[in-house]
PDB file of all heavy atoms in Angstrom:
ATOM      1  N   ILE A 264      -4.417  -0.301 -17.410  1.00  0.00           N
ATOM      2  CA  ILE A 264      -5.445  -1.158 -16.795  1.00  0.00           C
ATOM      3  C   ILE A 264      -4.955  -1.578 -15.417  1.00  0.00           C
ATOM      4  O   ILE A 264      -3.930  -2.252 -15.287  1.00  0.00           O
ATOM      5  CB  ILE A 264      -5.698  -2.420 -17.645  1.00  0.00           C
ATOM      6  CG1 ILE A 264      -6.024  -2.041 -19.099  1.00  0.00           C
ATOM      7  CG2 ILE A 264      -6.814  -3.256 -17.039  1.00  0.00           C
ATOM      8  CD1 ILE A 264      -6.075  -3.258 -20.030  1.00  0.00           C
ATOM      9  N   GLY A 265      -5.684  -1.173 -14.370  1.00  0.00           N
ATOM     10  CA  GLY A 265      -5.301  -1.557 -13.007  1.00  0.00           C
ATOM     11  C   GLY A 265      -4.860  -0.354 -12.193  1.00  0.00           C
ATOM     12  O   GLY A 265      -3.841   0.255 -12.504  1.00  0.00           O
ATOM     13  N   GLY A 267      -3.861  -0.104  -8.930  1.00  0.00           N
ATOM     14  CA  GLY A 267      -3.084  -0.268  -7.700  1.00  0.00           C
ATOM     15  C   GLY A 267      -1.956   0.754  -7.761  1.00  0.00           C
ATOM     16  O   GLY A 267      -1.894   1.578  -8.690  1.00  0.00           O
ATOM     17  N   ILE A 268      -1.056   0.723  -6.808  1.00  0.00           N
ATOM     18  CA  ILE A 268      -0.039   1.774  -6.746  1.00  0.00           C
ATOM     19  C   ILE A 268       0.832   1.812  -7.995  1.00  0.00           C
ATOM     20  O   ILE A 268       1.229   2.887  -8.456  1.00  0.00           O
ATOM     21  CB  ILE A 268       0.820   1.672  -5.451  1.00  0.00           C
ATOM     22  CG1 ILE A 268       1.723   2.899  -5.320  1.00  0.00           C
ATOM     23  CG2 ILE A 268       1.644   0.395  -5.397  1.00  0.00           C
ATOM     24  CD1 ILE A 268       1.016   4.220  -5.336  1.00  0.00           C
ATOM     25  N   ASN A 269       1.099   0.655  -8.616  1.00  0.00           N
ATOM     26  CA  ASN A 269       2.002   0.680  -9.776  1.00  0.00           C
ATOM     27  C   ASN A 269       1.330   1.235 -11.031  1.00  0.00           C
ATOM     28  O   ASN A 269       1.955   1.976 -11.798  1.00  0.00           O
ATOM     29  CB  ASN A 269       2.597  -0.713 -10.011  1.00  0.00           C
ATOM     30  CG  ASN A 269       3.630  -1.034  -8.945  1.00  0.00           C
ATOM     31  OD1 ASN A 269       4.391  -0.159  -8.545  1.00  0.00           O
ATOM     32  ND2 ASN A 269       3.641  -2.260  -8.452  1.00  0.00           N
ATOM     33  N   GLU A 288      -9.774   1.102 -13.297  1.00  0.00           N
ATOM     34  CA  GLU A 288      -9.611   0.184 -12.162  1.00  0.00           C
ATOM     35  C   GLU A 288     -10.946  -0.538 -11.949  1.00  0.00           C
ATOM     36  O   GLU A 288     -11.992   0.087 -11.818  1.00  0.00           O
ATOM     37  CB  GLU A 288      -9.207   0.983 -10.907  1.00  0.00           C
ATOM     38  CG  GLU A 288      -9.449   0.298  -9.579  1.00  0.00           C
ATOM     39  CD  GLU A 288      -8.794  -1.078  -9.437  1.00  0.00           C
ATOM     40  OE1 GLU A 288      -7.594  -1.189  -9.737  1.00  0.00           O
ATOM     41  OE2 GLU A 288      -9.489  -2.036  -9.029  1.00  0.00           O
ATOM     42  N   LYS A 289     -10.878  -1.852 -11.902  1.00  0.00           N
ATOM     43  CA  LYS A 289     -12.080  -2.679 -11.833  1.00  0.00           C
ATOM     44  C   LYS A 289     -12.891  -2.478 -10.542  1.00  0.00           C
ATOM     45  O   LYS A 289     -14.114  -2.498 -10.528  1.00  0.00           O
ATOM     46  CB  LYS A 289     -11.641  -4.139 -11.922  1.00  0.00           C
ATOM     47  CG  LYS A 289     -12.753  -5.150 -11.914  1.00  0.00           C
ATOM     48  CD  LYS A 289     -12.181  -6.543 -12.087  1.00  0.00           C
ATOM     49  CE  LYS A 289     -13.266  -7.575 -12.252  1.00  0.00           C
ATOM     50  NZ  LYS A 289     -12.740  -8.890 -12.598  1.00  0.00           N
ATOM     51  N   ALA A 296      -3.571  -5.778  -4.127  1.00  0.00           N
ATOM     52  CA  ALA A 296      -2.359  -6.034  -3.332  1.00  0.00           C
ATOM     53  C   ALA A 296      -1.922  -4.766  -2.599  1.00  0.00           C
ATOM     54  O   ALA A 296      -1.401  -4.827  -1.478  1.00  0.00           O
ATOM     55  CB  ALA A 296      -1.234  -6.521  -4.247  1.00  0.00           C
ATOM     56  N   SER A 297      -2.166  -3.616  -3.233  1.00  0.00           N
ATOM     57  CA  SER A 297      -1.688  -2.361  -2.632  1.00  0.00           C
ATOM     58  C   SER A 297      -2.393  -2.039  -1.319  1.00  0.00           C
ATOM     59  O   SER A 297      -1.915  -1.203  -0.553  1.00  0.00           O
ATOM     60  CB  SER A 297      -1.873  -1.204  -3.621  1.00  0.00           C
ATOM     61  OG  SER A 297      -1.159  -1.473  -4.800  1.00  0.00           O
ATOM     62  N   ALA A 299      -2.976  -4.468   0.821  1.00  0.00           N
ATOM     63  CA  ALA A 299      -2.732  -5.635   1.679  1.00  0.00           C
ATOM     64  C   ALA A 299      -1.305  -5.688   2.207  1.00  0.00           C
ATOM     65  O   ALA A 299      -0.887  -6.700   2.754  1.00  0.00           O
ATOM     66  CB  ALA A 299      -3.029  -6.914   0.884  1.00  0.00           C
ATOM     67  N   SER A 300      -0.560  -4.600   2.040  1.00  0.00           N
ATOM     68  CA  SER A 300       0.870  -4.659   2.377  1.00  0.00           C
ATOM     69  C   SER A 300       1.097  -4.571   3.885  1.00  0.00           C
ATOM     70  O   SER A 300       0.183  -4.294   4.657  1.00  0.00           O
ATOM     71  CB  SER A 300       1.615  -3.517   1.695  1.00  0.00           C
ATOM     72  OG  SER A 300       1.465  -2.334   2.452  1.00  0.00           O
ATOM     73  N   SER A 301       2.357  -4.757   4.255  1.00  0.00           N
ATOM     74  CA  SER A 301       2.745  -4.585   5.661  1.00  0.00           C
ATOM     75  C   SER A 301       2.991  -3.106   5.984  1.00  0.00           C
ATOM     76  O   SER A 301       3.505  -2.788   7.054  1.00  0.00           O
ATOM     77  CB  SER A 301       4.021  -5.367   5.962  1.00  0.00           C
ATOM     78  OG  SER A 301       3.848  -6.734   5.690  1.00  0.00           O
ATOM     79  N   MET A 303       5.194  -1.212   4.916  1.00  0.00           N
ATOM     80  CA  MET A 303       6.605  -0.824   5.029  1.00  0.00           C
ATOM     81  C   MET A 303       7.125  -0.207   3.735  1.00  0.00           C
ATOM     82  O   MET A 303       6.828  -0.688   2.643  1.00  0.00           O
ATOM     83  CB  MET A 303       7.455  -2.053   5.357  1.00  0.00           C
ATOM     84  CG  MET A 303       7.352  -2.450   6.818  1.00  0.00           C
ATOM     85  SD  MET A 303       7.991  -4.090   7.048  1.00  0.00           S
ATOM     86  CE  MET A 303       9.709  -3.827   6.746  1.00  0.00           C
ATOM     87  N   HIS A 305      10.557   0.078   2.529  1.00  0.00           N
ATOM     88  CA  HIS A 305      11.800  -0.474   3.054  1.00  0.00           C
ATOM     89  C   HIS A 305      12.743  -0.963   1.959  1.00  0.00           C
ATOM     90  O   HIS A 305      12.313  -1.290   0.850  1.00  0.00           O
ATOM     91  CB  HIS A 305      11.499  -1.628   4.022  1.00  0.00           C
ATOM     92  CG  HIS A 305      10.801  -2.795   3.374  1.00  0.00           C
ATOM     93  ND1 HIS A 305      10.949  -4.083   3.831  1.00  0.00           N
ATOM     94  CD2 HIS A 305       9.965  -2.862   2.316  1.00  0.00           C
ATOM     95  CE1 HIS A 305      10.219  -4.897   3.083  1.00  0.00           C
ATOM     96  NE2 HIS A 305       9.615  -4.192   2.167  1.00  0.00           N
ATOM     97  N   SER A 454     -13.727  -1.983 -15.635  1.00  0.00           N
ATOM     98  CA  SER A 454     -12.745  -3.050 -15.906  1.00  0.00           C
ATOM     99  C   SER A 454     -12.462  -3.158 -17.393  1.00  0.00           C
ATOM    100  O   SER A 454     -13.282  -2.775 -18.231  1.00  0.00           O
ATOM    101  CB  SER A 454     -13.281  -4.388 -15.394  1.00  0.00           C
ATOM    102  OG  SER A 454     -14.426  -4.735 -16.131  1.00  0.00           O
ATOM    103  N   ALA A 455     -11.273  -3.699 -17.703  1.00  0.00           N
ATOM    104  CA  ALA A 455     -10.975  -4.081 -19.085  1.00  0.00           C
ATOM    105  C   ALA A 455     -11.445  -5.520 -19.198  1.00  0.00           C
ATOM    106  O   ALA A 455     -10.919  -6.404 -18.509  1.00  0.00           O
ATOM    107  CB  ALA A 455      -9.481  -3.976 -19.326  1.00  0.00           C
ATOM    108  N   THR A 484      -1.366  -3.378 -15.703  1.00  0.00           N
ATOM    109  CA  THR A 484      -0.734  -3.287 -14.369  1.00  0.00           C
ATOM    110  C   THR A 484      -1.730  -3.840 -13.350  1.00  0.00           C
ATOM    111  O   THR A 484      -2.032  -3.182 -12.353  1.00  0.00           O
ATOM    112  CB  THR A 484      -0.377  -1.830 -14.010  1.00  0.00           C
ATOM    113  OG1 THR A 484      -1.550  -1.019 -14.188  1.00  0.00           O
ATOM    114  CG2 THR A 484       0.742  -1.290 -14.868  1.00  0.00           C
ATOM    115  N   THR A 485      -2.247  -5.033 -13.627  1.00  0.00           N
ATOM    116  CA  THR A 485      -3.266  -5.561 -12.713  1.00  0.00           C
ATOM    117  C   THR A 485      -2.660  -6.490 -11.655  1.00  0.00           C
ATOM    118  O   THR A 485      -3.364  -7.324 -11.070  1.00  0.00           O
ATOM    119  CB  THR A 485      -4.443  -6.224 -13.464  1.00  0.00           C
ATOM    120  OG1 THR A 485      -3.961  -7.258 -14.307  1.00  0.00           O
ATOM    121  CG2 THR A 485      -5.189  -5.227 -14.306  1.00  0.00           C
ATOM    122  N   GLY A 486      -1.375  -6.323 -11.379  1.00  0.00           N
ATOM    123  CA  GLY A 486      -0.744  -7.004 -10.243  1.00  0.00           C
ATOM    124  C   GLY A 486      -0.959  -8.506 -10.295  1.00  0.00           C
ATOM    125  O   GLY A 486      -0.709  -9.159 -11.320  1.00  0.00           O
ATOM    126  N   PRO A 487      -1.477  -9.085  -9.219  1.00  0.00           N
ATOM    127  CA  PRO A 487      -1.649 -10.538  -9.196  1.00  0.00           C
ATOM    128  C   PRO A 487      -2.678 -11.041 -10.209  1.00  0.00           C
ATOM    129  O   PRO A 487      -2.747 -12.235 -10.473  1.00  0.00           O
ATOM    130  CB  PRO A 487      -2.112 -10.816  -7.754  1.00  0.00           C
ATOM    131  CG  PRO A 487      -2.570  -9.513  -7.206  1.00  0.00           C
ATOM    132  CD  PRO A 487      -1.833  -8.435  -7.936  1.00  0.00           C
ATOM    133  N   TRP A 488      -3.490 -10.127 -10.756  1.00  0.00           N
ATOM    134  CA  TRP A 488      -4.513 -10.522 -11.746  1.00  0.00           C
ATOM    135  C   TRP A 488      -3.974 -10.452 -13.180  1.00  0.00           C
ATOM    136  O   TRP A 488      -4.743 -10.619 -14.132  1.00  0.00           O
ATOM    137  CB  TRP A 488      -5.736  -9.611 -11.642  1.00  0.00           C
ATOM    138  CG  TRP A 488      -6.543  -9.786 -10.398  1.00  0.00           C
ATOM    139  CD1 TRP A 488      -7.591 -10.658 -10.215  1.00  0.00           C
ATOM    140  CD2 TRP A 488      -6.400  -9.079  -9.161  1.00  0.00           C
ATOM    141  NE1 TRP A 488      -8.086 -10.524  -8.936  1.00  0.00           N
ATOM    142  CE2 TRP A 488      -7.376  -9.559  -8.276  1.00  0.00           C
ATOM    143  CE3 TRP A 488      -5.539  -8.074  -8.718  1.00  0.00           C
ATOM    144  CZ2 TRP A 488      -7.512  -9.077  -6.971  1.00  0.00           C
ATOM    145  CZ3 TRP A 488      -5.670  -7.604  -7.423  1.00  0.00           C
ATOM    146  CH2 TRP A 488      -6.644  -8.103  -6.563  1.00  0.00           C
ATOM    147  N   THR A 492      -6.220 -10.911 -16.549  1.00  0.00           N
ATOM    148  CA  THR A 492      -6.558  -9.777 -17.427  1.00  0.00           C
ATOM    149  C   THR A 492      -6.105 -10.070 -18.856  1.00  0.00           C
ATOM    150  O   THR A 492      -6.855  -9.846 -19.817  1.00  0.00           O
ATOM    151  CB  THR A 492      -5.896  -8.485 -16.903  1.00  0.00           C
ATOM    152  OG1 THR A 492      -6.286  -8.313 -15.552  1.00  0.00           O
ATOM    153  CG2 THR A 492      -6.294  -7.270 -17.714  1.00  0.00           C
ATOM    154  N   GLY A 508      -0.580 -13.271   1.472  1.00  0.00           N
ATOM    155  CA  GLY A 508      -0.080 -12.850   2.778  1.00  0.00           C
ATOM    156  C   GLY A 508      -1.209 -12.191   3.545  1.00  0.00           C
ATOM    157  O   GLY A 508      -1.984 -11.424   2.975  1.00  0.00           O
ATOM    158  N   GLY A 595      -4.010 -10.421   1.007  1.00  0.00           N
ATOM    159  CA  GLY A 595      -3.839 -10.053  -0.401  1.00  0.00           C
ATOM    160  C   GLY A 595      -2.782 -10.934  -1.021  1.00  0.00           C
ATOM    161  O   GLY A 595      -2.115 -11.718  -0.327  1.00  0.00           O
ATOM    162  N   ARG A 597       0.660 -11.197  -3.317  1.00  0.00           N
ATOM    163  CA  ARG A 597       1.824 -10.480  -3.851  1.00  0.00           C
ATOM    164  C   ARG A 597       1.935 -10.769  -5.353  1.00  0.00           C
ATOM    165  O   ARG A 597       1.874 -11.928  -5.753  1.00  0.00           O
ATOM    166  CB  ARG A 597       3.116 -10.957  -3.180  1.00  0.00           C
ATOM    167  CG  ARG A 597       3.141 -10.770  -1.690  1.00  0.00           C
ATOM    168  CD  ARG A 597       4.374 -11.441  -1.078  1.00  0.00           C
ATOM    169  NE  ARG A 597       4.378 -11.280   0.362  1.00  0.00           N
ATOM    170  CZ  ARG A 597       3.739 -12.080   1.214  1.00  0.00           C
ATOM    171  NH1 ARG A 597       3.069 -13.125   0.772  1.00  0.00           N
ATOM    172  NH2 ARG A 597       3.785 -11.849   2.515  1.00  0.00           N
ATOM    173  N   PRO A 598       2.116  -9.730  -6.158  1.00  0.00           N
ATOM    174  CA  PRO A 598       2.214  -9.973  -7.601  1.00  0.00           C
ATOM    175  C   PRO A 598       3.618 -10.455  -7.980  1.00  0.00           C
ATOM    176  O   PRO A 598       4.394  -9.729  -8.593  1.00  0.00           O
ATOM    177  CB  PRO A 598       1.914  -8.597  -8.202  1.00  0.00           C
ATOM    178  CG  PRO A 598       2.289  -7.620  -7.155  1.00  0.00           C
ATOM    179  CD  PRO A 598       2.173  -8.296  -5.822  1.00  0.00           C
ATOM    180  N   GLY A 633       6.731  -5.969  -8.685  1.00  0.00           N
ATOM    181  CA  GLY A 633       6.754  -4.564  -8.266  1.00  0.00           C
ATOM    182  C   GLY A 633       6.210  -4.382  -6.864  1.00  0.00           C
ATOM    183  O   GLY A 633       5.062  -4.693  -6.598  1.00  0.00           O
ATOM    184  N   LYS A 634       7.073  -3.888  -5.970  1.00  0.00           N
ATOM    185  CA  LYS A 634       6.671  -3.643  -4.569  1.00  0.00           C
ATOM    186  C   LYS A 634       6.014  -2.267  -4.433  1.00  0.00           C
ATOM    187  O   LYS A 634       6.063  -1.465  -5.348  1.00  0.00           O
ATOM    188  CB  LYS A 634       7.897  -3.603  -3.637  1.00  0.00           C
ATOM    189  CG  LYS A 634       8.893  -4.633  -3.838  1.00  0.00           C
ATOM    190  CD  LYS A 634      10.128  -4.568  -2.933  1.00  0.00           C
ATOM    191  CE  LYS A 634      10.438  -3.371  -2.106  1.00  0.00           C
ATOM    192  NZ  LYS A 634      11.142  -3.676  -0.867  1.00  0.00           N
ATOM    193  N   TRP A 635       5.522  -1.987  -3.266  1.00  0.00           N
ATOM    194  CA  TRP A 635       4.999  -0.647  -2.963  1.00  0.00           C
ATOM    195  C   TRP A 635       6.165   0.357  -2.971  1.00  0.00           C
ATOM    196  O   TRP A 635       6.100   1.410  -3.596  1.00  0.00           O
ATOM    197  CB  TRP A 635       4.386  -0.631  -1.559  1.00  0.00           C
ATOM    198  CG  TRP A 635       2.961  -0.186  -1.479  1.00  0.00           C
ATOM    199  CD1 TRP A 635       1.885  -0.989  -1.242  1.00  0.00           C
ATOM    200  CD2 TRP A 635       2.447   1.163  -1.614  1.00  0.00           C
ATOM    201  NE1 TRP A 635       0.734  -0.227  -1.225  1.00  0.00           N
ATOM    202  CE2 TRP A 635       1.053   1.086  -1.444  1.00  0.00           C
ATOM    203  CE3 TRP A 635       3.020   2.392  -1.859  1.00  0.00           C
ATOM    204  CZ2 TRP A 635       0.232   2.221  -1.506  1.00  0.00           C
ATOM    205  CZ3 TRP A 635       2.202   3.520  -1.938  1.00  0.00           C
ATOM    206  CH2 TRP A 635       0.827   3.433  -1.762  1.00  0.00           C
ATOM    207  N   THR A 636       7.227  -0.009  -2.245  1.00  0.00           N
ATOM    208  CA  THR A 636       8.335   0.923  -1.986  1.00  0.00           C
ATOM    209  C   THR A 636       8.884   1.554  -3.268  1.00  0.00           C
ATOM    210  O   THR A 636       9.236   2.727  -3.283  1.00  0.00           O
ATOM    211  CB  THR A 636       9.467   0.149  -1.283  1.00  0.00           C
ATOM    212  OG1 THR A 636       8.915  -0.476  -0.127  1.00  0.00           O
ATOM    213  CG2 THR A 636      10.613   1.050  -0.886  1.00  0.00           C
TER     214      THR A 636
HETATM  215  C1  FAD B1079       0.947  -9.537   2.348  1.00  0.00           C
HETATM  216  C2  FAD B1079       1.698  -8.498   1.583  1.00  0.00           C
HETATM  217  C3  FAD B1079       2.630  -7.694   2.223  1.00  0.00           C
HETATM  218  C4  FAD B1079       3.343  -6.759   1.501  1.00  0.00           C
HETATM  219  N1  FAD B1079       4.164  -5.890   2.161  1.00  0.00           N
HETATM  220  C5  FAD B1079       4.842  -4.945   1.473  1.00  0.00           C
HETATM  221  C6  FAD B1079       5.610  -3.982   2.160  1.00  0.00           C
HETATM  222  O1  FAD B1079       5.615  -3.917   3.396  1.00  0.00           O
HETATM  223  N2  FAD B1079       6.311  -3.086   1.421  1.00  0.00           N
HETATM  224  C7  FAD B1079       6.302  -3.108   0.045  1.00  0.00           C
HETATM  225  O2  FAD B1079       7.004  -2.310  -0.558  1.00  0.00           O
HETATM  226  N3  FAD B1079       5.522  -3.972  -0.636  1.00  0.00           N
HETATM  227  C8  FAD B1079       4.788  -4.881   0.051  1.00  0.00           C
HETATM  228  N4  FAD B1079       3.964  -5.745  -0.602  1.00  0.00           N
HETATM  229  C9  FAD B1079       3.914  -5.705  -2.060  1.00  0.00           C
HETATM  230  C10 FAD B1079       3.021  -4.609  -2.585  1.00  0.00           C
HETATM  231  O3  FAD B1079       1.882  -4.429  -1.779  1.00  0.00           O
HETATM  232  C11 FAD B1079       2.552  -4.973  -3.989  1.00  0.00           C
HETATM  233  O4  FAD B1079       3.603  -5.516  -4.719  1.00  0.00           O
HETATM  234  C12 FAD B1079       2.028  -3.745  -4.724  1.00  0.00           C
HETATM  235  O5  FAD B1079       1.052  -3.116  -3.948  1.00  0.00           O
HETATM  236  C13 FAD B1079       1.476  -4.155  -6.062  1.00  0.00           C
HETATM  237  O6  FAD B1079       0.789  -3.086  -6.637  1.00  0.00           O
HETATM  238  P1  FAD B1079       0.163  -3.241  -8.062  1.00  0.00           P
HETATM  239  O7  FAD B1079      -0.380  -1.911  -8.443  1.00  0.00           O
HETATM  240  O8  FAD B1079       1.156  -3.830  -8.995  1.00  0.00           O
HETATM  241  O9  FAD B1079      -0.988  -4.340  -7.888  1.00  0.00           O
HETATM  242  P2  FAD B1079      -2.426  -4.184  -7.184  1.00  0.00           P
HETATM  243  O10 FAD B1079      -2.383  -3.270  -6.037  1.00  0.00           O
HETATM  244  O11 FAD B1079      -2.969  -5.537  -6.947  1.00  0.00           O
HETATM  245  O12 FAD B1079      -3.277  -3.477  -8.301  1.00  0.00           O
HETATM  246  C14 FAD B1079      -3.816  -4.162  -9.395  1.00  0.00           C
HETATM  247  C15 FAD B1079      -5.228  -3.632  -9.612  1.00  0.00           C
HETATM  248  O13 FAD B1079      -5.750  -4.143 -10.838  1.00  0.00           O
HETATM  249  C16 FAD B1079      -7.162  -4.234 -10.686  1.00  0.00           C
HETATM  250  N5  FAD B1079      -7.695  -5.096 -11.736  1.00  0.00           N
HETATM  251  C17 FAD B1079      -7.659  -6.445 -11.800  1.00  0.00           C
HETATM  252  N6  FAD B1079      -8.217  -6.846 -12.961  1.00  0.00           N
HETATM  253  C18 FAD B1079      -8.613  -5.743 -13.638  1.00  0.00           C
HETATM  254  C19 FAD B1079      -9.242  -5.509 -14.908  1.00  0.00           C
HETATM  255  N7  FAD B1079      -9.573  -6.517 -15.699  1.00  0.00           N
HETATM  256  N8  FAD B1079      -9.505  -4.244 -15.263  1.00  0.00           N
HETATM  257  C20 FAD B1079      -9.171  -3.197 -14.462  1.00  0.00           C
HETATM  258  N9  FAD B1079      -8.554  -3.365 -13.262  1.00  0.00           N
HETATM  259  C21 FAD B1079      -8.276  -4.615 -12.860  1.00  0.00           C
HETATM  260  C22 FAD B1079      -7.331  -4.786  -9.285  1.00  0.00           C
HETATM  261  O14 FAD B1079      -8.621  -4.525  -8.776  1.00  0.00           O
HETATM  262  C23 FAD B1079      -6.212  -4.075  -8.521  1.00  0.00           C
HETATM  263  O15 FAD B1079      -6.674  -2.929  -7.846  1.00  0.00           O
HETATM  264  C24 FAD B1079       3.162  -6.648   0.101  1.00  0.00           C
HETATM  265  C25 FAD B1079       2.197  -7.412  -0.536  1.00  0.00           C
HETATM  266  C26 FAD B1079       1.441  -8.310   0.196  1.00  0.00           C
HETATM  267  C27 FAD B1079       0.353  -9.080  -0.488  1.00  0.00           C
END
Side-chain angles (χ1 to χ4, degrees):
I264 306 171
I268 188 56
N269 287 321
E288 160 56 49
K289 182 177 187 172
S297 301
S300 82
S301 302
M303 282 165 69
H305 63 151
S454 65
T484 52
T485 57
W488 291 271
T492 305
R597 301 172 181 85
K634 316 178 347 149
W635 236 107
T636 305

